[in-house]
Amino acid sequence: MEEPGQLERAMIDATAGAISGGISRTVTSPLDVIKIRFQVQLEPTSSWALLRKDLSTTSKYTGMLQATKDIFREEGIQGFWRGNVPALLMVMPYTAIQFTVLHKLKTLASGSSRTENHIHLRPYLSYVSGALAGCAATLGSYPFDLLRTILASQGEPKVYPTMRSAFIDIIRTRGFRGLYAGLSPTLVEIVPYAGLQFGTNDTFKRWTMAWNRLSYSNTILSTPEDGLSIFQLLLCGLAAGTCAKLVCHPLDVVKKRFQIEGLQRHPRYGARVEHRAYKNMFDAISRILQSEGWAGLYKGIVPSTVKAAPTSAVTFVAYELTFDWLESILT
């Protein structure tokens, strides 16, 4: 098959990235909504924590199952896809930029534009390429991430009925900079997260390819491109997503707190994060530790990890399949 040109290759990367991001985002939206509700809740997120601290106040959400029942009862099935439109507007350009930049960086590092040669890059180059690609994608799609977080965390009654009303109010009350609230912890988070996600995915793929060669001598499990079956690609993506999320979750909590500053949610959802509640990222971490303890930085870790693993797996597999399909019809 003829090797596609640089522009054609970039278009294939961007399209495959956008489609894979859209698919994974829509499939895992319910888990993301539950995760965000936990992260923006100032009260403890478990019944055990409430009993241990002997608190008289109750928490809105105290477990994944309880949160799922409450959201379904109060908001219906559509509540699990609240904020999905801005999320898609965020995720699709994010993954499009990410995979395009990633391929370009790996091409520069390896001296070859062929994907099969990128898997043999030195591990640190895979991590650095993933981190830089994640930064570029974050800068290009961040306002939609902020809008997604606000719409997903507001509950009922809605503070903002539409994405447009949220956008206008943010511009009016916080200015253009308000669209980038929480960008600093996001960039601090995305460097290790994207680096780990792509770096560990490549590492797990190399290990799996070596295991295939050792165990099966390149027989029935091999595919022409990378020697991995779809099931093996899924497992590599699951492992990479889990590792990245477990390491970087606290910074995601801090980011969410910045994003919902000043959001006038109904009191039944607990205490509000007041406008300008945190001076900076370090102040936010300090205040969370002081008032909520270490557990505060890991609120939503269960739905977050449960979501991150399949999201990463679906994104990587959907990208590979979509890329192969586009390449076959365009070249």
Side-chain angles (χ1 to χ4, degrees):
M1 183 181 294
E2 183 183 350
E3 184 74 12
Q6 289 188 16
L7 180 60
E8 193 175 38
R9 171 69 206 223
M11 291 178 62
I12 294 174
D13 275 324
T15 304
I19 292 173
S20 64
I23 292 172
S24 64
R25 167 62 220 184
T26 301
V27 169
T28 60
S29 178
L31 290 168
D32 195 51
V33 169
I34 294 170
K35 179 200 74 168
I36 290 174
R37 297 293 174 91
F38 279 128
Q39 289 179 320
V40 300
Q41 178 172 291
L42 301 185
E43 295 78 17
T45 56
S46 71
S47 299
W48 178 82
L50 284 169
L51 291 171
R52 184 170 60 86
K53 292 190 175 184
D54 193 26
L55 297 176
S56 57
T57 57
T58 58
S59 293
K60 174 64 176 174
Y61 302 117
T62 56
M64 275 193 68
L65 183 59
Q66 179 267 334
T68 301
K69 290 179 179 178
D70 268 19
I71 293 171
F72 181 74
R73 184 180 69 252
E74 296 172 359
E75 304 170 44
I77 192 69
Q78 66 270 22
F80 293 104
W81 276 268
R82 179 151 292 164
N84 196 50
V85 172
L88 287 174
L89 291 174
M90 180 272 290
V91 168
M92 294 181 75
Y94 179 93
T95 48
I97 295 169
Q98 188 175 44
F99 279 105
T100 303
V101 173
L102 181 71
H103 181 267
K104 186 63 177 177
L105 290 171
K106 286 187 172 182
T107 297
L108 292 172
S110 66
S112 170
S113 63
R114 299 182 67 86
T115 305
E116 54 266 33
N117 294 331
H118 295 172
I119 196 66
H120 302 296
L121 278 175
R122 291 183 178 181
Y124 82 90
L125 289 174
S126 292
Y127 286 91
V128 171
S129 297
L132 292 176
C135 287
T138 297
L139 290 172
S141 60
Y142 189 80
F144 292 111
D145 183 26
L146 180 132
L147 290 170
R148 178 277 304 256
T149 298
I150 288 175
L151 293 178
S153 62
Q154 62 182 344
E156 291 287 348
K158 295 179 181 178
V159 179
Y160 302 114
T162 64
M163 182 173 66
R164 181 175 179 273
S165 63
F167 175 81
I168 291 174
D169 188 62
I170 290 169
I171 292 294
R172 181 177 60 82
T173 58
R174 296 198 251 174
F176 180 77
R177 291 182 61 184
L179 293 174
Y180 286 87
L183 179 62
S184 295
T186 302
L187 289 175
V188 172
E189 175 206 7
I190 205 64
V191 168
Y193 182 79
L196 283 168
Q197 186 183 35
F198 284 97
T200 54
N201 184 63
D202 283 351
T203 298
F204 288 133
K205 285 169 71 174
R206 282 193 295 270
W207 289 351
T208 307
M209 289 168 65
W211 184 83
N212 283 349
R213 287 192 296 269
L214 180 65
S215 303
Y216 295 92
S217 301
N218 292 323
T219 56
I220 193 169
L221 285 184
S222 297
T223 62
E225 180 161 346
D226 56 20
L228 300 179
S229 66
I230 291 177
F231 179 69
Q232 289 174 325
L233 288 172
L234 277 170
L235 288 180
C236 290
L238 281 168
T242 301
C243 291
K245 181 51 66 178
L246 287 174
V247 172
C248 303
H249 184 80
L251 290 168
D252 192 36
V253 172
V254 174
K255 177 184 78 172
K256 293 295 189 292
R257 297 293 177 89
F258 274 106
Q259 289 179 329
I260 66 151
E261 279 186 337
L263 179 64
Q264 300 299 304
R265 299 194 300 169
H266 192 280
R268 73 164 174 261
Y269 291 98
R272 298 167 178 167
V273 179
E274 299 300 331
H275 186 50
R276 300 190 185 281
Y278 309 117
K279 297 176 183 178
N280 51 51
M281 182 178 66
F282 299 105
D283 180 58
I285 293 173
S286 175
R287 287 173 179 269
I288 291 171
L289 286 173
Q290 183 179 10
S291 60
E292 303 169 52
W294 281 98
L297 292 174
Y298 285 91
K299 284 182 174 177
I301 186 63
V302 174
S304 181
T305 304
V306 171
K307 167 189 171 284
T311 296
S312 181
V314 172
T315 299
F316 282 126
V317 172
Y319 170 79
E320 300 253 0
L321 295 177
T322 305
F323 177 84
D324 289 344
W325 174 66
L326 289 171
E327 191 176 42
S328 68
I329 64 175
L330 295 176
T331 59

